[in-house]
Amino acid sequence: KAGVTQTPRYLIKTRGQQVTLSCSPISGHRSVSWYQQTPGQGLQFLFEYFSETQRNKGNFPGRFSGRQFSNSRSEMNVSTLELGDSALYLCASSLSPTENYGYTFGSGTRLTVV
Amino acid sequence: AQRVTQPEKLLSVFKGAPVELKCNYSYSGSPELFWYVQYSRQRLQLLLRHISRESIKGFTADLNKGETSFHLKKPFAQEEDSAMYYCALGKAAGNKLTFGGGTRVLVKP
């Protein structure tokens, strides 16, 4: 079966712009989470969605937002981009949030802010 | 607050030697612990979960609640084990994971 699909794979944006990243989970997976990976901070939790509802949110400013659609696909948006937002953004899906079987990760979207 | 510490950024071992990756955590509740691995140019993938007590690719990890540790071990390292390894802590219910900083393992021939 298809894995977690993230689009686009690479993005270059200018400071001040906004960006939307997309994630399609594994078929049947209803929980989608987003992580930011940087060399300095490592892997940091952004947010988690289940049944179109945000269940958890990490310690990121309000410029970072997300949503989940009825087909479980998810998008995350970053507004007013800053240089420090340059990172690999990983999406992960799992069956549900009530049992922690572990995630399946996508390949990520590498965002570069110039 | 949840925290995961992987004290070694780099572990270099020879093929056939034992390897142990350290992971310590702080969490006041009932933890769920995982090891994830990222091979070169591949996506992050789940290696093992403490609740399943399984052995994957020869790796095992034991949860020691007294020492708040979840060290990953393999008795005989192989070159294909060279990768980045992340220890992660989750809640008993819920999918927010806190990751350690990662340990890069290099297995030399």
Side-chain angles (χ1 to χ4, degrees), chain A residues 4 31 33 35 37 43 45 48 55-56 90 94 96-103 105-107, chain B residues 32 34 36 38 43-46 49 51 86 90-101:
Chain A
V4 178
S31 177
S33 297
Y35 288 80
Q37 186 175 26
L43 281 152
F45 173 78
E48 179 207 354
R55 286 176 45 88
N56 280 301
L90 295 173
S94 63
S96 81
T98 56
E99 300 207 43
N100 209 336
Y101 293 108
Y103 291 130
F105 280 87
S107 297
Chain B
E32 295 276 352
F34 306 82
Y36 283 82
Q38 190 166 32
R43 61 185 66 189
L44 196 60
Q45 57 187 281
L46 179 65
R49 305 172 290 151
I51 58 172
Y86 294 94
K91 299 177 183 179
N95 274 335
K96 173 183 174 179
L97 287 180
T98 299
F99 284 87

Side-chain angles (χ1 to χ4, degrees), chain B:
Chain B
Q2 298 178 201
R3 181 177 293 177
V4 177
T5 304
Q6 293 179 250
E8 305 118 339
K9 289 192 183 302
L10 174 65
L11 269 181
S12 183
V13 299
F14 285 101
K15 177 182 173 181
V19 61
E20 180 179 29
L21 288 74
K22 291 184 168 49
C23 171
N24 289 92
Y25 68 92
S26 64
Y27 182 60
S28 57
S30 181
E32 295 276 352
L33 285 147
F34 306 82
W35 277 98
Y36 283 82
V37 60
Q38 190 166 32
Y39 301 102
S40 179
R41 298 190 185 86
Q42 294 188 27
R43 61 185 66 189
L44 196 60
Q45 57 187 281
L46 179 65
L47 182 61
L48 55 79
R49 305 172 290 151
H50 91 272
I51 58 172
S52 58
R53 303 183 67 81
E54 57 202 342
S55 172
I56 303 293
K57 299 184 179 183
F59 284 98
T60 59
D62 289 318
L63 175 60
N64 185 324
K65 291 187 177 181
E67 296 183 359
T68 59
S69 68
F70 188 56
H71 303 328
L72 183 69
K73 302 175 185 179
K74 185 169 183 177
F76 307 104
Q78 303 299 314
E79 289 182 68
E80 55 265 29
D81 297 327
S82 294
M84 194 75 177
Y85 292 80
Y86 294 94
C87 182
L89 167 68
K91 299 177 183 179
N95 274 335
K96 173 183 174 179
L97 287 180
T98 299
F99 284 87
T103 298
R104 182 169 299 282
V105 172
L106 177 62
V107 182
K108 297 178 285 187

